[in-house]
Amino acid sequence: MARINDHYLKLQAGYLFPEIGRRTRAFVDANGGEVIRLGIGDVTLPLAPAVVKALQDAAAEMGTAEGFHGYGPDNGYPFLTEPIREHDYGARGVEIATDEIFVSDGSKQDSGNIQEIFGVDCKIAVVDPVYPVYVDTNVMAGRTGTADARGFYDGILYLPATEANGFAPDPPDTAVDLAYLCSPNNPTGTVMSRAQLERWVTWANETGAVIVFDAAYDAFISDSAIPRSIYEIEGARTCAIEMRSFSKRAGFTGVRCAYTVVPKELEGTSASGDRVAIHDLWARRVATKFNGVPYVIQRAAAAVFAPDGRKQTQEQVAFYMENASRIRAGLGAAGFTVFGGENAPYIWMRTPDGLSSWDFFDRLLAETRVVGTPGSGFGPSGEGYFRISAFNSRENVDEAIARIGRAFGR
Ligand SMILES: *Cc1c(COP(=O)(O)O)cnc(C)c1O
């Protein structure tokens, strides 16, 4: 029999969302009726009309002799990389070349695949709580030992995100090779300030670390003082890889399009001590393992940058952020301590009465029929916190907040 990759056996069971589903079903079976789900990290609004039109037009084009497209360029079509360069970077004073942009089918994939071009003995650092992909893909690659009873893997440096540090820890004193940052953050809904990002970039350039910067929620930033890209920080081109996605900004979770930026100045070292451009390695990986995002999907993504597409998708983001603001205000009025939700579609709340994240999940469900996400599911430092998502209808959000106010308000 074939030997399997034993590192997979170190992975902890995908416990969080199945367990939420199990407890919710058990409650509904016992009590009947409906629940309001504010636990999901998926968008709820339909695709913007401009995006739908681009999909339809591109599909029709593919059915014509002149408009048919087979394999596309490795990096993505210029009709998409050019507006990315112009609108996501140039408009904010950041110079990125189109051949530094790699269009992909998702930031989940990119943030999971990027570790592959680094050495197996690289040391990694993550913020805790964290988007689980960064940790699990390094476990699969064999960069860690086994997990302890609290869920910490041996060999990973965990940086606790706490109320004291505003859920944005400073760089560690110890040297690491790769550090994963996510801002605006899932799950805490908080953002890193310019000063914090500057400390990280300085640290990375001094120690030779590479920062993997996940900016999947950049479109939700409303505070103009908060950088949307790590490349707004001087020196980031020599230490950072950035990932962005159309999933949350334009409702592409089921359409699938994202991109990764790898600046040409970013270097690593080989076993013989030579400096190697990370860009070349990622380009090689993409060329070897990927045949590109479908033409029709890239056309749909390009429509997000056209005037009507921008307007419509900005309205979607504004809709979710109005939900977030109502959730923040409602939870605050009910006496909860809340964080995030101002530049991100997630609200991170402290559980009341020192309840564990799961005990609060059960209590909230029983008393209000509202489902959220236990903070402990994102990592040990999430214990005692709870994530509420703004991805829902206005009606559901208002109803959920009214119920929480009645049940917990004083
Ligand atoms: C939703 C999300 C993504 C986006 O993933 P896609 O694969 O592009 O849909 C990336 N990072 C984080 C932290 C997310 O929450």
Side-chain angles (χ1 to χ4, degrees), residues 127-129 159-170 182-185 187-193 196 199-200 226 328 338-342 348 385:
V127 172
D128 169 43
L159 307 171
T162 62
E163 287 183 29
N165 62 28
F167 302 98
D170 270 341
C182 176
S183 177
N185 192 267
T188 66
T190 54
V191 280
M192 295 177 75
S193 69
Q196 282 164 333
R199 287 198 288 279
W200 274 93
I226 304 289
R328 246 188 91 93
V338 294
F339 306 93
E342 289 172 316
W348 189 241
Y385 293 88

Side-chain angles (χ1 to χ4, degrees), residues 194 197-198 201-202 205 230-239:
R194 176 171 290 274
L197 283 171
E198 282 169 354
V201 166
T202 303
N205 279 320
I230 196 162
Y231 304 120
E232 290 178 44
I233 308 298
E234 174 121 22
R237 286 185 59 87
T238 50
C239 68

Side-chain angles (χ1 to χ4, degrees), residues 184-351:
N185 192 267
N186 177 11
T188 66
T190 54
V191 280
M192 295 177 75
S193 69
R194 176 171 290 274
Q196 282 164 333
L197 283 171
E198 282 169 354
R199 287 198 288 279
W200 274 93
V201 166
T202 303
W203 164 85
N205 279 320
E206 279 172 10
T207 62
V210 172
I211 295 171
V212 177
F213 191 73
D214 183 344
Y217 296 94
D218 74 286
F220 295 81
I221 295 176
S222 58
D223 181 345
S224 58
I226 304 289
R228 287 188 172 206
S229 165
I230 196 162
Y231 304 120
E232 290 178 44
I233 308 298
E234 174 121 22
R237 286 185 59 87
T238 50
C239 68
I241 295 169
E242 178 163 288
M243 286 155 191
R244 297 217 194 165
S245 174
F246 294 91
S247 282
K248 314 297 164 37
R249 81 193 272 186
F252 272 49
T253 51
V255 178
R256 311 305 304 143
C257 197
Y259 65 86
T260 287
V261 175
V262 187
K264 294 197 192 96
E265 291 92 317
L266 181 64
E267 291 179 325
T269 55
S270 70
S272 54
D274 296 329
R275 290 168 160 272
V276 177
I278 305 278
H279 179 275
D280 295 349
L281 300 185
W282 186 246
R284 181 58 203 249
R285 187 204 177 275
V286 169
T288 301
K289 295 198 176 184
F290 191 50
N291 260 335
V293 175
Y295 173 74
V296 291
I297 304 295
Q298 293 195 56
R299 280 289 181 198
V304 172
F305 296 102
D308 52 347
R310 270 168 75 189
K311 181 167 172 292
Q312 291 162 9
T313 53
Q314 281 166 3
E315 281 165 5
Q316 294 182 334
V317 167
F319 173 82
Y320 294 128
M321 290 312 292
E322 171 62 20
N323 282 352
S325 136
R326 289 175 184 225
I327 294 167
R328 246 188 91 93
L331 293 173
F336 291 107
T337 305
V338 294
F339 306 93
E342 289 172 316
N343 295 288
Y346 299 117
I347 287 84
W348 189 241
M349 57 184 285
R350 202 197 290 152
T351 61

Side-chain angles (χ1 to χ4, degrees), residues 21 23 40 78 99 113 122 139 231 248 255 294 296 313-314 344 376:
R23 292 193 192 204
I40 36 175
D99 64 353
N113 290 332
C122 276
V139 173
Y231 304 120
K248 314 297 164 37
V255 178
V296 291
T313 53
Q314 281 166 3
S376 56

